[in-house]
Amino acid sequence: MIGIVSYGSYIPRCRIPIADIARAWKKDAKEVVHSLGLTDKSVPAFDEDAATIAIESALSCFAPFHGDPTDIDVLFVGSESHPYAVNPTSTIVGELLGLGNAYLAADLEFACKAGTAAMQAIAGLVAAGHAKYGLAIGADTAQGKPHDFLEYTAAAGGAAFLLGSDHVAARLLADTSYSSDTPDFWRRDGMRYPSHAGRFTGEPAYYSHVMGAASRLFEMTGTTAADYDYCIFHMPNGKFPREVAKRLGFSREQLEPSLLVDHIGNAYSATTMLALSAVLDIARAGQKIFMVSYGSGAGSDAFVWETTSELNKIQQVREKKTLRVSDAISKKTYVDYIQFLKLTHKL
Amino acid sequence: MKIFVNGAATTQFGELWGVSPRSLARGSVSSALKDARIESAQVEALFVGNMLSGMLGGQEHLGAFFAEELGLPVPAFKVEGACASGGLALHNAVNSLLSGQYATVVVLGIEKMTDHKPEDVATALMGAGSEEERNAGATFPGLYAILARMHMNEFGTTEEQLAAVAVKNHYHASLNPNAQFHNLLTVEQVMRSSRVADPLKLLDCSPISDGAAAVVLSTKNIKGSVEVAASVVATDTLGLAQRAHLTQLTATQRAAEKAYRIAGLTAGQVSVAEVHDCFTVAEVLAMEDLGFFPRGKAAAAIEKGETRLGTSAGIVVNPSGGLKGCGHPVGATGVKQVVELVDQLRGSAGKRQVENATIGLAHNVGGSGATAVVHILKK
C-alpha cells in the first residue's frame, strides 16, 4: 500500500498582522480582517526563498525517517516562486539533502497546487515500482503587489511528504484530479507580481474545481462527508475553505484543525500540504482524511488518506523536536509594514 | 413624423463569464426582432451603444463587427458617450428615422466588463472623466461621493436615505428575472458594507456587469409598439470643478425640460421612470433634476417608499432594479432602460408591473453628468 512514510513542515518565524497592512493603505482594518477571515500572515526572512524553505521542510521530514536519503529516487519541488526561471530548485534541494545523484529531480509549477501534483505523481511512480521513496515538496514565498488584495494573504511556508510503501503512516486510499483552462490568476515570465481576475477567482475557479474534484472523489470511493474524520481544502483566504466545506456537507469540527490560514495566510503550494501536516500531527490511527488542493489556471487534486499505527512514532519525534505545525505557528516574531517591505525585497 | 419602438429585449445581466460579446449581441437582437415580428432583411441600419470595447477588448470598428456577427449587411455605427452610450445610440437612431434616411433600424447596447481585471475596468471607466480628475487619481465613486457629501451638507440628506435607494432597487431587481441581483437588502446591510469612497459604501454602488439590450425602432405603429415621444441629449463640463452646482446635474435638467416640452408633458404625468442610479446619490439627484420632487426633498420621499412598487401612490422609479440591482453593463444600460419602459407600457412586466403605466421616462447619464439623455415613451 502506497502512502506517507514521513512528513515535515516549515513556517518562517516572521508574521505581519493583516490589520497593519490594511492601516498602511488607510483601509478599515477591522473590515479587511473580517472580510478575509485571517489575522496574521507569515513573512519570509530576508535570506529565505522557496529553495531554503523546501530544504527546511525536507529536513523536518527527515527527522522521524530512519531510512537512507539515497534511497529516495524522486524529488519534485512544487512552487510558484522558484528562485530561478531556468535552473531547478529540486537539484539545489537534492544536493543539500545528500540524495546522491541517482534520483529523478523536477520542478513543478501549478499555482497553489504544484505540491499536491508532486504527491500524486510520486505516488504513481512508487506504485509502478519505479521508485522506492519519493519526496514531494511544496514551498513558496508568495508575492503580492503592494496595495493589491493579494498583499493581505500571500504568505510563505513549506511542507515535505516522503511517499513509499513500507512503514506507511497514512495510506493513500484514493486520489483524483480535476483540471480546466480557467485563467483566474497568472504571472507571465519576467513579471514580478501575479495578476488575478477579481471575483472570477471564486465561483468559476476555486469553487468549481474544488467541488469538481471532491465530487469525483466521493463517487470513486462511494463515500460522503460523514465518512471522514477530517477535511482539508486549499485556503486562499479564510472564507473559501469554510464555504466549500459547508457546500460539501462537512462540519466545522471536521474542518477546524486544518484552518491554518487564520494564522499564517496562504503559503500557496505549501498550503494544503501544511494543513495535512497539521491534521496528521493530531490524528489517531485509523482515521480518514479528505483533502482537496486548488491551483489557479486551474485544477484541484483530491486525496483520501487513512492513518495507521505508524503515525504515532512520527508524532512523538515531531513533538519532542518541536517540529509540529502548531509549534511553528506559535514561534513567531511580529514585523511592521516597513520591515515587511524590506524582508520581501520591496524596499 | 412619429417614431415607435416595435420590439425590445435584453439578455440576462450579470457576471456572464461563459458568454461572449457576440453571443450577447445575437441573443438580444434576435429576441428584439422576434418581438417586433420582423425579419432581419427589413433592418436598414444598426446603432451600437458601447463604451469600453476598445480599451478593454482591443476591438474598435464595432459597428461592422456586430453587423457581420448579426448577419446585417447594413450601415452600422458605434456610438460612445461613456455610460450614456446606449441612450446616445438610441438618440442617433431616432434622428436617423426622423431624417427619413431609414425606416427601420436596430439599436444594440452592449458591454462585456467582467472578463477584465477590476483595476483595468476602473481605469477604463475613468476615461469618462476629465484629464484633471484622472491625473489627481479620482475615480467615479470618489466624484459621486463629492456630490453626495454636498447634497448631505446642503439638504441634510442622510446616509440611511441613500441606502434606501439600494434597498428599493434590490427589491425591484428581485422581481426581474434578467437582473444581476435577486437578493433583498436592508438599510443596515448597506450601512455595514465596506466604505468605497466616504460616504458611499459598496452597496451604494452599481456593479461591474455584462449584458446587452436591443430595440427595433421604426416609423410604423405596429401592434404592441410604444411611441418615442421625445429623445433629447444635453451636455455639461466633463469635470466637476467647472460646474456651477454640485447638488444638481445641469445636463439632466436641460435634457428633461426640453423633453417635456417636445412631448407636451409635465414631470407629474410620468408614471414610471428608469433613471441612472450608478450610485445611490445619483438617483436622488435624478429625482430632483427630472422634476419629480422639489430640490432637497427626494431622499426623504425615497426613504418613505414613494417611488417603490407597491407603496408608491405616484411614480415608480427603476422597476427593473436600476443600475444598482439589475446591473450596469455601461453601454447596454441606456437601451435596457427603454426595454423596461416598453415592458411596463405594454403591461407585460409581470411581477414588477407598474399599475396604469402610460408615460415612461428613461434617464441615462455619462460620466458625472457631462452627458444626459432623456427619452419619454408613451402608450
PDB file of all heavy atoms in Angstrom, chain B residues 119-134:
ATOM      1  N   GLU B 119      -9.053  46.495 -11.752  1.00  0.00           N
ATOM      2  CA  GLU B 119      -8.314  47.754 -11.839  1.00  0.00           C
ATOM      3  C   GLU B 119      -8.275  48.277 -13.283  1.00  0.00           C
ATOM      4  O   GLU B 119      -8.263  49.482 -13.527  1.00  0.00           O
ATOM      5  CB  GLU B 119      -6.901  47.619 -11.253  1.00  0.00           C
ATOM      6  CG  GLU B 119      -6.030  46.544 -11.896  1.00  0.00           C
ATOM      7  CD  GLU B 119      -6.118  45.204 -11.166  1.00  0.00           C
ATOM      8  OE1 GLU B 119      -7.215  44.839 -10.713  1.00  0.00           O
ATOM      9  OE2 GLU B 119      -5.077  44.520 -11.087  1.00  0.00           O
ATOM     10  N   ASP B 120      -8.251  47.337 -14.246  1.00  0.00           N
ATOM     11  CA  ASP B 120      -8.267  47.763 -15.652  1.00  0.00           C
ATOM     12  C   ASP B 120      -9.628  48.361 -16.000  1.00  0.00           C
ATOM     13  O   ASP B 120      -9.716  49.332 -16.758  1.00  0.00           O
ATOM     14  CB  ASP B 120      -7.979  46.571 -16.575  1.00  0.00           C
ATOM     15  CG  ASP B 120      -6.539  46.090 -16.443  1.00  0.00           C
ATOM     16  OD1 ASP B 120      -5.722  46.842 -15.882  1.00  0.00           O
ATOM     17  OD2 ASP B 120      -6.237  44.964 -16.893  1.00  0.00           O
ATOM     18  N   VAL B 121     -10.696  47.757 -15.451  1.00  0.00           N
ATOM     19  CA  VAL B 121     -12.047  48.285 -15.707  1.00  0.00           C
ATOM     20  C   VAL B 121     -12.176  49.678 -15.087  1.00  0.00           C
ATOM     21  O   VAL B 121     -12.688  50.607 -15.721  1.00  0.00           O
ATOM     22  CB  VAL B 121     -13.126  47.338 -15.136  1.00  0.00           C
ATOM     23  CG1 VAL B 121     -14.511  47.950 -15.300  1.00  0.00           C
ATOM     24  CG2 VAL B 121     -13.071  45.980 -15.832  1.00  0.00           C
ATOM     25  N   ALA B 122     -11.660  49.827 -13.864  1.00  0.00           N
ATOM     26  CA  ALA B 122     -11.749  51.131 -13.191  1.00  0.00           C
ATOM     27  C   ALA B 122     -10.998  52.196 -13.981  1.00  0.00           C
ATOM     28  O   ALA B 122     -11.479  53.326 -14.147  1.00  0.00           O
ATOM     29  CB  ALA B 122     -11.205  51.027 -11.770  1.00  0.00           C
ATOM     30  N   THR B 123      -9.811  51.827 -14.484  1.00  0.00           N
ATOM     31  CA  THR B 123      -9.024  52.783 -15.280  1.00  0.00           C
ATOM     32  C   THR B 123      -9.761  53.144 -16.562  1.00  0.00           C
ATOM     33  O   THR B 123      -9.829  54.311 -16.957  1.00  0.00           O
ATOM     34  CB  THR B 123      -7.643  52.176 -15.613  1.00  0.00           C
ATOM     35  OG1 THR B 123      -6.994  51.854 -14.389  1.00  0.00           O
ATOM     36  CG2 THR B 123      -6.780  53.133 -16.410  1.00  0.00           C
ATOM     37  N   ALA B 124     -10.327  52.121 -17.208  1.00  0.00           N
ATOM     38  CA  ALA B 124     -11.038  52.362 -18.470  1.00  0.00           C
ATOM     39  C   ALA B 124     -12.260  53.249 -18.233  1.00  0.00           C
ATOM     40  O   ALA B 124     -12.522  54.183 -18.998  1.00  0.00           O
ATOM     41  CB  ALA B 124     -11.449  51.037 -19.094  1.00  0.00           C
ATOM     42  N   LEU B 125     -12.991  52.996 -17.163  1.00  0.00           N
ATOM     43  CA  LEU B 125     -14.182  53.803 -16.869  1.00  0.00           C
ATOM     44  C   LEU B 125     -13.806  55.254 -16.612  1.00  0.00           C
ATOM     45  O   LEU B 125     -14.555  56.177 -16.919  1.00  0.00           O
ATOM     46  CB  LEU B 125     -14.927  53.242 -15.651  1.00  0.00           C
ATOM     47  CG  LEU B 125     -15.729  51.960 -15.888  1.00  0.00           C
ATOM     48  CD1 LEU B 125     -16.215  51.390 -14.564  1.00  0.00           C
ATOM     49  CD2 LEU B 125     -16.912  52.217 -16.812  1.00  0.00           C
ATOM     50  N   MET B 126     -12.605  55.442 -16.056  1.00  0.00           N
ATOM     51  CA  MET B 126     -12.177  56.798 -15.732  1.00  0.00           C
ATOM     52  C   MET B 126     -11.885  57.600 -16.999  1.00  0.00           C
ATOM     53  O   MET B 126     -11.705  58.818 -16.958  1.00  0.00           O
ATOM     54  CB  MET B 126     -10.962  56.730 -14.804  1.00  0.00           C
ATOM     55  CG  MET B 126     -10.811  57.917 -13.887  1.00  0.00           C
ATOM     56  SD  MET B 126     -12.346  58.387 -13.086  1.00  0.00           S
ATOM     57  CE  MET B 126     -12.179  60.160 -13.106  1.00  0.00           C
ATOM     58  N   GLY B 127     -11.863  56.888 -18.139  1.00  0.00           N
ATOM     59  CA  GLY B 127     -11.773  57.578 -19.433  1.00  0.00           C
ATOM     60  C   GLY B 127     -12.939  58.525 -19.642  1.00  0.00           C
ATOM     61  O   GLY B 127     -12.890  59.412 -20.500  1.00  0.00           O
ATOM     62  N   ALA B 128     -13.998  58.356 -18.862  1.00  0.00           N
ATOM     63  CA  ALA B 128     -15.170  59.231 -18.984  1.00  0.00           C
ATOM     64  C   ALA B 128     -14.996  60.520 -18.193  1.00  0.00           C
ATOM     65  O   ALA B 128     -15.829  61.415 -18.290  1.00  0.00           O
ATOM     66  CB  ALA B 128     -16.414  58.501 -18.489  1.00  0.00           C
ATOM     67  N   GLY B 129     -13.934  60.605 -17.407  1.00  0.00           N
ATOM     68  CA  GLY B 129     -13.734  61.786 -16.574  1.00  0.00           C
ATOM     69  C   GLY B 129     -12.865  62.819 -17.255  1.00  0.00           C
ATOM     70  O   GLY B 129     -12.408  62.636 -18.391  1.00  0.00           O
ATOM     71  N   SER B 130     -12.608  63.912 -16.556  1.00  0.00           N
ATOM     72  CA  SER B 130     -11.738  64.946 -17.124  1.00  0.00           C
ATOM     73  C   SER B 130     -10.285  64.569 -16.872  1.00  0.00           C
ATOM     74  O   SER B 130      -9.984  63.764 -15.983  1.00  0.00           O
ATOM     75  CB  SER B 130     -12.032  66.298 -16.467  1.00  0.00           C
ATOM     76  OG  SER B 130     -11.535  66.299 -15.137  1.00  0.00           O
ATOM     77  N   GLU B 131      -9.401  65.159 -17.639  1.00  0.00           N
ATOM     78  CA  GLU B 131      -7.969  64.872 -17.512  1.00  0.00           C
ATOM     79  C   GLU B 131      -7.477  65.229 -16.102  1.00  0.00           C
ATOM     80  O   GLU B 131      -6.711  64.490 -15.492  1.00  0.00           O
ATOM     81  CB  GLU B 131      -7.204  65.667 -18.560  1.00  0.00           C
ATOM     82  CG  GLU B 131      -5.748  65.265 -18.690  1.00  0.00           C
ATOM     83  CD  GLU B 131      -5.026  66.111 -19.733  1.00  0.00           C
ATOM     84  OE1 GLU B 131      -5.677  66.929 -20.400  1.00  0.00           O
ATOM     85  OE2 GLU B 131      -3.802  65.945 -19.837  1.00  0.00           O
ATOM     86  N   GLU B 132      -7.979  66.369 -15.587  1.00  0.00           N
ATOM     87  CA  GLU B 132      -7.548  66.801 -14.252  1.00  0.00           C
ATOM     88  C   GLU B 132      -7.971  65.778 -13.200  1.00  0.00           C
ATOM     89  O   GLU B 132      -7.211  65.472 -12.275  1.00  0.00           O
ATOM     90  CB  GLU B 132      -8.163  68.162 -13.886  1.00  0.00           C
ATOM     91  CG  GLU B 132      -7.672  69.332 -14.702  1.00  0.00           C
ATOM     92  CD  GLU B 132      -8.433  69.504 -16.008  1.00  0.00           C
ATOM     93  OE1 GLU B 132      -9.252  68.605 -16.339  1.00  0.00           O
ATOM     94  OE2 GLU B 132      -8.205  70.499 -16.705  1.00  0.00           O
ATOM     95  N   GLU B 133      -9.172  65.270 -13.337  1.00  0.00           N
ATOM     96  CA  GLU B 133      -9.663  64.284 -12.366  1.00  0.00           C
ATOM     97  C   GLU B 133      -8.833  63.003 -12.440  1.00  0.00           C
ATOM     98  O   GLU B 133      -8.461  62.426 -11.419  1.00  0.00           O
ATOM     99  CB  GLU B 133     -11.151  63.988 -12.622  1.00  0.00           C
ATOM    100  CG  GLU B 133     -12.048  65.139 -12.194  1.00  0.00           C
ATOM    101  CD  GLU B 133     -13.483  65.000 -12.688  1.00  0.00           C
ATOM    102  OE1 GLU B 133     -13.741  64.170 -13.592  1.00  0.00           O
ATOM    103  OE2 GLU B 133     -14.347  65.723 -12.160  1.00  0.00           O
ATOM    104  N   ARG B 134      -8.540  62.570 -13.673  1.00  0.00           N
ATOM    105  CA  ARG B 134      -7.713  61.352 -13.833  1.00  0.00           C
ATOM    106  C   ARG B 134      -6.334  61.557 -13.228  1.00  0.00           C
ATOM    107  O   ARG B 134      -5.812  60.715 -12.512  1.00  0.00           O
ATOM    108  CB  ARG B 134      -7.567  60.986 -15.307  1.00  0.00           C
ATOM    109  CG  ARG B 134      -8.726  60.215 -15.877  1.00  0.00           C
ATOM    110  CD  ARG B 134      -8.322  59.533 -17.174  1.00  0.00           C
ATOM    111  NE  ARG B 134      -7.934  60.493 -18.199  1.00  0.00           N
ATOM    112  CZ  ARG B 134      -8.784  61.136 -18.997  1.00  0.00           C
ATOM    113  NH1 ARG B 134     -10.070  60.912 -18.872  1.00  0.00           N
ATOM    114  NH2 ARG B 134      -8.362  61.986 -19.908  1.00  0.00           N
TER     115      ARG B 134
END
